[in-house]
Every structure is written in structure tokens, then in C-alpha cells.
Amino acid sequence: MKRRLLLSATLAFISTVSFAQQRALNFDGTDDYVTSAYPGITGSNARTIEAMIRTTANCNPNTGGIQNTIVDWGDMNTGQRFTFNLLWANSVRIEIGGSGISGSTPVNDGQWHHIAVTYSGSPTTGNTKLYIDGTLEATGTLSGVNTSSLTPVTIGRRVSQNNYFDGDIDEVRVWNAALSATDIQSRASDEMCTPPATCVLYYKFNQGTVGGNNAGQTTAFDAIANNNGTLSNFSM
């Protein structure tokens, strides 16, 4: 189980019991984001997104909050984006533009949570599942999924350039398959040394110096290929 302790703001770094030193990236909720070179899973193909997050932000519009985006790609036409975020009830949500599925368990308690969404690529009932800390949170059906590659994978804001994330994000993974519950549970708290072939994008956010000057850190390195991400507007 990864035990995480925030040590510094803006570019935040983490210590663990299972690894010598782990780090995470801190987003200010105003203009910080990461743009990947990876275009994302397109069309109606199967996929999974995973991430570790920590936040105290109010994301529920019913109580004056604002949607906080974790991972997004595509464009703003109906069915053509794949937006993994926090919204209603301060819980996880996936939306494609025109429809979405939401959880009901709040995750804005200032603790680390592993969150995931799987989409099977099938038009059948229950093709989409949301998970919190390895536990199935919600099951629903998304129809009309036709994700665009217009805007590549973006971490921390929507493709519409708003709804920034306020908090810490780590261990962002994109898969070209719908992972099983067992797969998600088995990896929920671990960093992967050798990712399986179905993992197509993996940001560990491990570079940088704990509590130091990180002005030279402008790249998030992809552990799979060379689909590195560009850090924008972080104070470092």
C-alpha cells in the first residue's frame, strides 16, 4: 500500500513505505495542466483510465463548487470527448459530451484515493464502470462514444481549457482495454515497474527534487513510450 505524505506545494513530492521515494504533481486549480503527446483512445474502442488523487476542493455545483478535471481528451462535439473528473457529490464522473455517469462517494477529504474508469467499447448495458479505491462505485451505459483525437490527453483541465484540477495527481495510466475489477484492485496502490502491453500511457510524476527548486522540470515522462507531457504554468 502506498503511503503518501505531501512535502511541498506546487510541484509536490511523496514518500512511501514500498518505494524509496515517490512524487506527485500538485495542481493549483487556476491554470496548471499537462499536455501529453499521446492522442488518446479514439472512436468507441475500449479503454481504462487510472489515477491517484488528493484534493479538498469543492467540485459540486449544487454547493458552489466547480468541476475538477483529472484526465481529458477529444473535442467538445457530442460524444467526442472522454472527460474523467470530479463533479456531483464531489465524486468521480465520466462524461463524453451529452451524457455521463457519476459516483456518489465523496473523495475530496484530503486523503489519497485511487480512482478508475473502464469502458468496454461495447454498446451493451453496463459498458462503463467507475471505481474508488479498488471498489466498484457505479455502473452505467455510455452510448454514442466516438472520441476524437483533436486534443491529445490532457491532465488537470478540460479540452475546453477550463475546470482545472485543484490538488495532487499521481500515477496516471491509460489502457487500451477495459480492465477487470481484479486488475484494478491488484494495482490500485502500487507503482508498476513493468507495465503490461495494454498500458499505453503511464505518468509516474517521479522527477524533481523534494522541497527544492524544480524550475528545470517542464516534462512529464511517459514510462511506456515517448509520449511525454509538457507541464504548463506550474510555479515549480
Side-chain angles (χ1 to χ4, degrees):
M1 179 72 177
K2 271 193 176 181
R3 179 170 63 84
R4 298 161 181 265
L5 175 65
L6 183 65
L7 298 179
S8 63
T10 304
L11 186 59
F13 297 104
I14 306 304
S15 65
T16 78
V17 294
S18 51
F19 301 97
Q21 185 179 84
Q22 293 300 313
R23 301 158 174 86
L25 191 58
N26 178 259
F27 296 74
D28 66 7
T30 301
D31 60 0
D32 295 349
Y33 67 99
V34 179
T35 304
S36 173
Y38 184 67
I41 309 296
T42 59
S44 60
N45 292 306
R47 67 203 70 173
T48 297
I49 302 173
E50 293 181 275
M52 293 290 297
I53 63 164
R54 181 168 76 166
T55 184
T56 57
N58 179 11
C59 311
N60 186 352
N62 288 335
T63 57
I66 299 173
Q67 180 190 68
N68 273 222
T69 306
I70 302 159
V71 178
D72 195 13
W73 69 85
D75 66 50
M76 293 302 293
N77 291 322
T78 299
Q80 294 190 6
R81 62 183 166 92
F82 203 73
T83 310
F84 195 28
N85 61 89
L86 304 182
L87 190 63
W88 310 114
N90 291 303
S91 190
V92 290
R93 175 173 169 82
I94 186 66
E95 54 188 49
I96 62 171
S99 64
I101 298 165
S102 298
S104 58
T105 302
V107 293
N108 65 333
D109 56 1
Q111 302 298 312
W112 281 104
H113 294 282
H114 176 270
I115 58 173
V117 57
T118 68
Y119 168 70
S120 69
S122 167
T124 57
T125 301
N127 61 10
T128 307
K129 294 179 170 62
L130 295 168
Y131 294 85
I132 297 175
D133 296 326
T135 299
L136 181 63
E137 172 70 12
T139 300
T141 304
L142 289 178
S143 58
V145 176
N146 186 25
T147 313
S148 164
S149 61
L150 180 64
T151 302
V153 169
T154 302
I155 302 167
R157 78 172 183 181
R158 274 189 13 166
V159 297
S160 51
Q161 301 182 12
N162 58 358
N163 295 7
Y164 291 85
F165 189 83
D166 185 1
D168 310 307
I169 301 179
D170 196 10
E171 292 291 305
V172 174
R173 308 166 188 166
V174 177
W175 306 72
N176 63 5
L179 298 185
S180 69
T182 300
D183 287 336
I184 290 172
Q185 291 162 1
S186 67
R187 302 190 187 104
S189 300
D190 295 324
E191 179 178 290
M192 296 188 299
C193 294
T194 307
T198 51
C199 186
V200 293
L201 186 68
Y202 184 14
Y203 293 127
K204 299 182 181 184
F205 295 137
N206 278 353
Q207 63 270 24
T209 302
V210 175
N213 182 348
N214 293 289
Q217 301 294 336
T218 59
T219 302
F221 294 101
D222 173 26
I224 305 298
N226 292 316
N227 291 306
N228 296 330
T230 301
L231 279 63
S232 295
N233 302 322
F234 292 89
S235 296
M236 301 302 179

